Amino acid sequence: MTALSRYRLRLQRKRFLLRAWRKSRALKPVENRTGHIRPRDILCFATIRNEMARLPYFLEYYRDRGIQHFLFVDNDSDDGTRAYLAAQKDCSVWTCAESYKRARFGMDWLNHLLGKYGHGHWCLTVDCDEFLVYPFVDTRPINALTDWLEASSIKSFGTMLLDMYPKGPVGAFSYAPGCDPFEKSCWFDSGNYMIQKNPSFGNLWIQGGPRARVFFADDPKSAPALNKIPLVRWQRGYAYASSTHMLLPRGLNLVYDEWGGEKTSGILLHAKFTDTFQNKAQEEVQRREHFANSKEYRAYLAALDTDQGPNFWMQFSEKFINWRQLEILGLMSKGNWA
Amino acid sequence: MSLGFVMLCHSNLDRAAQVARHWAEHDCPLVIHVDAKVPATEFAGFQQALSDLKNVQFTPRLRCEWGTWSLVQATKIAAKQLLKNFPKLGHVYLTSGSCLTLRPVSELQTYLRAHPQTDFIESVTTQDVQWTVGGLNEERFIYRFPFSWKRNRKLFDRYVALQRFFGLRRKIPKGLTPHLGSQWWCLTRQTLTAILTDPDAEVFDRYFKRVWIPDESYFQSLARRYAIHIESRSLTLSKFDFQGKPHVFYDDHLRLLRRSDCFLARKIWHKADLLYQTFLYQEQIESFKTEPAPGKIDRVFAKAVERRTRGRPGLYMHSRFPNWDWENGKTAVEYSVFHGFSELFEDFDHWLARRSNAQVHGHLFAPERAEFAGGDPIAKGGLSESATLRDYNPEAFLAALIWNARSERQVFQFSARDRQKITPFIASDSNARIHVITGAWALSLFKSNRNFDEIRNEAAVLQRNEVEFISELRALYARAQVKIWSLTEFLEYPIENLAEAVAHLPSATGPMHLETVPRMVQFKGFAKFLQNLKNQGMRAHVVGDFPSDDMELMSIKPASVRPYVVR
């Protein structure tokens, strides 16, 4: 890494920060309770749009793990999401009618909020269909993890997005608001992931899983990235570069060991494939507000063989039990946290 | 009253207060030192919380920094105060605010009464220490460390390098043999007063002020001067990870801690409510064992360190992505590759699958698709047969295949016709067992009945692929176990050679024996075919010197020509 390329990354980071500031002017506070945030609180940041069905379980899941405050950017919802969140005592909500895509898929808004309210806190940045599983998640709250990370001088915590799907066509199961989406969407691919290193940002680029297998078998390069770094001890000046896949400064992307050992890591269970998925895919293709002109969603629609949606299930699908199972399968690691 | 505590606190004073109260109420006096970095209001609250206890005292507060003399100084002040104000103490125990007692205090008292002259302090010479981090064992004692490791890491490192470079060494004071050990000790009054009132104390103190992490060596070294009987172990269970930082105990360690039979443990997570609740407020069951047995906990933490430093071989994931050749095993377990066998023997993979206990795949790297065992379109773990997906990252494909099925031996066919991108990976993988018959590709061309100029061009490509593969296998970095025959060599003793190639595979009844052999393809006209290729300017040299008469091949068996072994 030459001095020149380091300097380029620095400029890029500054550009992200400037963008975040510029785009933040479109954010209108709906309910700002950030005054209640205490110094050691763990915060959750998310951009959402019409997520009334998922939010109750999302909030419940993360409250149980020990998240103390949620900061949402609502991208022009029209299903009551905004009012619902504004009524929650531990949520702060901003709204924004501008283009999700032009705000780098919401990242500009979140970078701004992270810099403003997240400084010095452990911040979890997720979508509302992503559920963090870390080692000992069933017996230790999330601040046990962050305390340990901090004592080990670790600033960021790496995960992989694990696509969960039901047995049978995705559309055949209805999802009742407030329920655990993984009650039915409890299957996953355990061992078909492909990793490359991104030389400029230093992060890993992971692809694979059911989406690559079913939708992108002929065009693997376009398969969605699964590497995510959602949990960071935020400092002013940090910036997410592309979704939560990578950050700047690049040292934060080194969540993996290069000399044979395993660092402590987790999984983001991805509850994307429920019956709402199909409507969402259709809507997103029309809005063209997602990555690469919603190429991902178009691939999904093209692959829908029945009106019930795609069926990801196969004979080697694994049924989710707990984090220990994921650890044994090699999808996450305790590292030296025991 | 025979046991007293010195307690060093710097954070989470509410927990420290709970533990202090527990001991004080069980008739163990305490002297507590609280770091001066703790805000005055917090300290006042802490004092207030313990104000009803007559046998709890506080020392003046010093600013303490990890790894420096200040910790020893605080300990000394507190210990002096404790010995002076509580003259009946037999033993003094040094603990921290995040220690927790695991057994009833009465058991600890009984245990110490049974060992009235024993000092429990881990104290080993620098040669015997393996747990220090950063390679500073002996060097702790011979260099000076004026800079803070936590705040001025660069300066710290540079100053050490400078002293190394110029060979600067400090003189170790006379009568002192440097020893290291856990800083949590339990000393007898006799030893401790001897250390504190040593006439040479000033000399030692001056020396230890510039030693690196003196709290792990001051008492440990000086105890050796005076102790009557040293038990070189700590009564406090305290495990360190590979960075030299203590492992933390959580609620889910309750059973482990209970069964360890240790008296105290460090360090307890301050929000581990269940642990504090159980060990401080619940009636403890009298354990009949007297000696601590931390073996099980040791294993758990040793495993954690192993996982962090060596990892699981053959696993590639988002927190383990080793650099090339740092994998500690490119794949998870041993597997076998048969190159050219499926061209020579009809239906070779099915025959092998019937004969052995292994999972036998076809050509995993065939250009059309990955030929999984049994013709399945998908393999364990969700690997797809799609050639594009496989060729996008063939190393990940193979590593995942082996990892997913690591309980069952994997076997696959390979040939010059397959995608060759994987060859450097398998050649450098010590888990690969590769058997090669060179030139067998000529047999499938011979059978193909295509236009001869097509065949000729194809032959050139296949031969080039094979030569490259063979040179990979013979390269300096190659670590696979390899056996290579040319087609001609193999055919000299086909059955023996086949038996040798498959002998390592597991079968239901011990090692594999050949009772049936797969059928070989027909050779009639093959020599002529090779000659035709040659006439067209394409010499298939990897086949070996194939006899011109087909019948001759099976009859002549020169004893001098034996298959050669590479590695």
Side-chain angles (χ1 to χ4, degrees), chain A residues 286-313:
Chain A
Q286 276 161 16
R287 286 204 329 141
R288 297 187 148 233
E289 278 284 297
H290 274 272
F291 190 65
N293 278 332
S294 313
K295 188 172 179 179
E296 200 178 320
Y297 283 108
R298 271 189 287 147
Y300 303 155
L301 283 188
L304 303 186
D305 43 355
T306 66
D307 49 337
Q308 294 238 296
N311 183 358
F312 294 106
W313 194 88

Side-chain angles (χ1 to χ4, degrees), chain A residues 136 139-141 143-145 147-148 151-152 158-160 189-197 204-207 212-213 216-221 255-267 314-316 327-338, chain B residues 153 241-243 245-248 250-253 269-271 300-301 303-313 315-323 326-328 376-384 386-390 392-393 396-397 400-401 403-404 406:
Chain A
F136 306 100
T139 49
R140 303 180 194 173
N143 52 348
L145 175 67
D147 280 357
W148 180 81
S152 313
T159 63
M160 187 177 85
D189 283 15
S190 68
N192 54 3
Y193 299 93
M194 300 168 283
I195 310 182
Q196 283 165 282
K197 209 179 279 185
L204 295 182
W205 180 26
I206 309 180
Q207 295 167 293
R213 171 164 62 82
F216 294 93
D218 297 324
D219 182 17
K221 210 171 160 30
V255 291
Y256 56 95
D257 189 281
E258 296 176 284
W259 311 105
E262 296 172 29
K263 286 192 179 176
T264 308
S265 60
I267 275 282
M314 41 112 197
Q315 52 175 321
F316 296 111
E327 226 252 335
I328 291 165
L329 289 169
L331 291 168
M332 59 187 274
S333 179
K334 288 186 288 198
N336 60 327
W337 196 32
Chain B
R153 183 80 56 94
D241 69 4
F242 79 118
Q243 290 175 308
K245 122 189 111 46
H247 278 297
V248 182
Y250 301 91
D251 284 348
D252 47 46
H253 288 125
W269 187 47
H270 65 105
K271 290 199 180 118
V300 169
F301 288 110
K303 248 166 113 180
V305 171
E306 165 94 10
R307 180 151 292 195
R308 178 64 188 84
T309 51
R310 307 258 306 154
R312 288 170 278 181
L315 174 64
Y316 300 82
M317 55 161 330
H318 56 285
S319 61
R320 181 182 202 264
F321 194 65
N323 290 331
W326 277 89
E327 298 91 347
N328 166 29
D376 279 346
I378 216 147
K380 221 173 181 175
L383 285 168
S384 159
S386 156
T388 356
L389 208 51
R390 175 199 64 200
Y392 181 57
N393 194 336
F397 173 85
L401 181 100
W403 170 263
N404 295 337
R406 56 195 183 281

Side-chain angles (χ1 to χ4, degrees), chain B residues 117-379:
Chain B
Q117 297 218 300
T118 309
D119 295 292
F120 294 92
I121 180 165
E122 191 187 12
S123 162
V124 286
T125 57
T126 48
Q127 286 86 23
D128 305 326
V129 171
Q130 278 139 30
W131 38 261
T132 52
V133 173
L136 293 174
N137 285 347
E138 208 191 335
E139 292 176 317
R140 293 171 174 218
F141 297 103
I142 56 172
Y143 297 149
R144 286 179 172 80
F145 298 89
F147 300 110
S148 161
W149 188 75
K150 285 232 157 139
R151 282 175 294 131
N152 285 323
R153 183 80 56 94
K154 257 193 194 146
L155 220 52
F156 179 95
D157 288 341
R158 283 199 190 140
Y159 196 60
V160 170
L162 193 82
Q163 294 178 82
R164 262 187 209 146
F165 183 78
F166 286 109
L168 300 175
R169 293 175 68 105
R170 299 180 69 187
K171 234 175 100 184
I172 298 170
K174 236 192 180 153
L176 186 79
T177 319
H179 279 74
L180 290 167
S182 160
Q183 68 259 57
W184 313 111
W185 42 250
C186 179
L187 295 176
T188 58
R189 166 178 282 271
Q190 192 183 343
T191 308
L192 191 55
T193 42
I195 292 173
L196 295 175
T197 57
D198 192 319
D200 291 337
E202 216 170 296
V203 180
F204 294 135
D205 287 8
R206 208 179 313 125
Y207 171 73
F208 274 103
K209 267 178 198 167
R210 290 283 175 267
V211 162
W212 176 227
I213 321 186
D215 49 327
E216 285 182 359
S217 57
Y218 180 82
F219 291 99
Q220 289 72 4
S221 303
L222 292 180
R224 287 281 167 192
R225 274 168 67 90
Y226 309 106
I228 295 169
H229 177 60
I230 284 189
E231 271 280 312
S232 180
R233 63 186 161 92
S234 174
L235 292 179
T236 302
L237 172 69
S238 172
K239 303 300 298 173
F240 290 88
D241 69 4
F242 79 118
Q243 290 175 308
K245 122 189 111 46
H247 278 297
V248 182
F249 294 106
Y250 301 91
D251 284 348
D252 47 46
H253 288 125
L254 178 61
R255 275 161 58 88
L256 270 180
L257 288 174
R258 262 226 181 102
R259 278 185 292 172
S260 75
D261 287 318
C262 291
F263 291 107
L264 273 81
R266 185 172 194 276
K267 154 179 202 177
I268 311 291
W269 187 47
H270 65 105
K271 290 199 180 118
D273 294 336
L274 182 66
L275 293 186
Y276 280 99
Q277 185 61 36
T278 310
F279 290 116
L280 291 185
Y281 303 115
Q282 275 176 23
E283 196 63 38
Q284 293 297 308
I285 312 142
E286 196 87 9
S287 64
F288 296 100
K289 282 183 208 150
T290 50
E291 287 298 326
K296 181 127 190 183
I297 285 194
D298 283 349
R299 278 196 294 283
V300 169
F301 288 110
K303 248 166 113 180
V305 171
E306 165 94 10
R307 180 151 292 195
R308 178 64 188 84
T309 51
R310 307 258 306 154
R312 288 170 278 181
L315 174 64
Y316 300 82
M317 55 161 330
H318 56 285
S319 61
R320 181 182 202 264
F321 194 65
N323 290 331
W324 186 263
D325 283 341
W326 277 89
E327 298 91 347
N328 166 29
K330 279 199 158 52
T331 47
V333 290
E334 211 180 75
Y335 59 96
S336 311
V337 183
F338 289 95
H339 178 110
F341 285 69
S342 60
E343 280 86 351
L344 178 59
F345 297 104
E346 286 173 5
D347 225 15
F348 178 69
D349 45 346
H350 291 119
W351 173 82
L352 196 56
R354 279 196 305 276
R355 303 283 321 134
S356 72
N357 258 1
Q359 183 164 40
V360 184
H361 301 283
H363 289 264
L364 278 185
F365 293 92
E368 301 80 18
R369 63 183 193 90
E371 296 171 1
F372 294 126
D376 279 346
I378 216 147

Side-chain angles (χ1 to χ4, degrees), chain A residues 119-181:
Chain A
H119 179 76
H121 289 273
W122 280 94
C123 297
L124 179 72
T125 309
V126 287
D127 286 343
C128 81
D129 56 2
E130 295 171 351
F131 295 86
L132 178 67
V133 172
Y134 50 86
F136 306 100
V137 64
D138 44 3
T139 49
R140 303 180 194 173
I142 195 164
N143 52 348
L145 175 67
T146 55
D147 280 357
W148 180 81
L149 290 171
E150 214 166 310
S152 313
S153 313
I154 299 170
K155 297 183 188 117
S156 52
F157 181 72
T159 63
M160 187 177 85
L161 196 60
L162 188 67
D163 291 329
M164 307 293 286
Y165 49 83
K167 186 174 183 175
V170 163
F173 299 94
S174 57
Y175 172 68
C179 290
D180 179 357

Side-chain angles (χ1 to χ4, degrees), chain A residues 28-34 36 48 52 55 59 63 69-74 77 80-95:
Chain A
K28 308 229 166 4
V30 178
E31 190 65 66
N32 189 337
R33 296 193 180 92
T34 50
H36 299 313
I48 44 159
M52 250 335 267
L55 275 171
L59 291 172
R63 279 175 189 147
H69 200 92
F70 297 84
L71 297 93
F72 287 103
V73 174
D74 167 54
S77 294
T81 297
R82 202 157 45 229
Y84 172 77
L85 287 177
Q88 307 293 319
K89 288 275 173 288
D90 53 357
C91 295
S92 295
V93 189
W94 287 260
T95 188

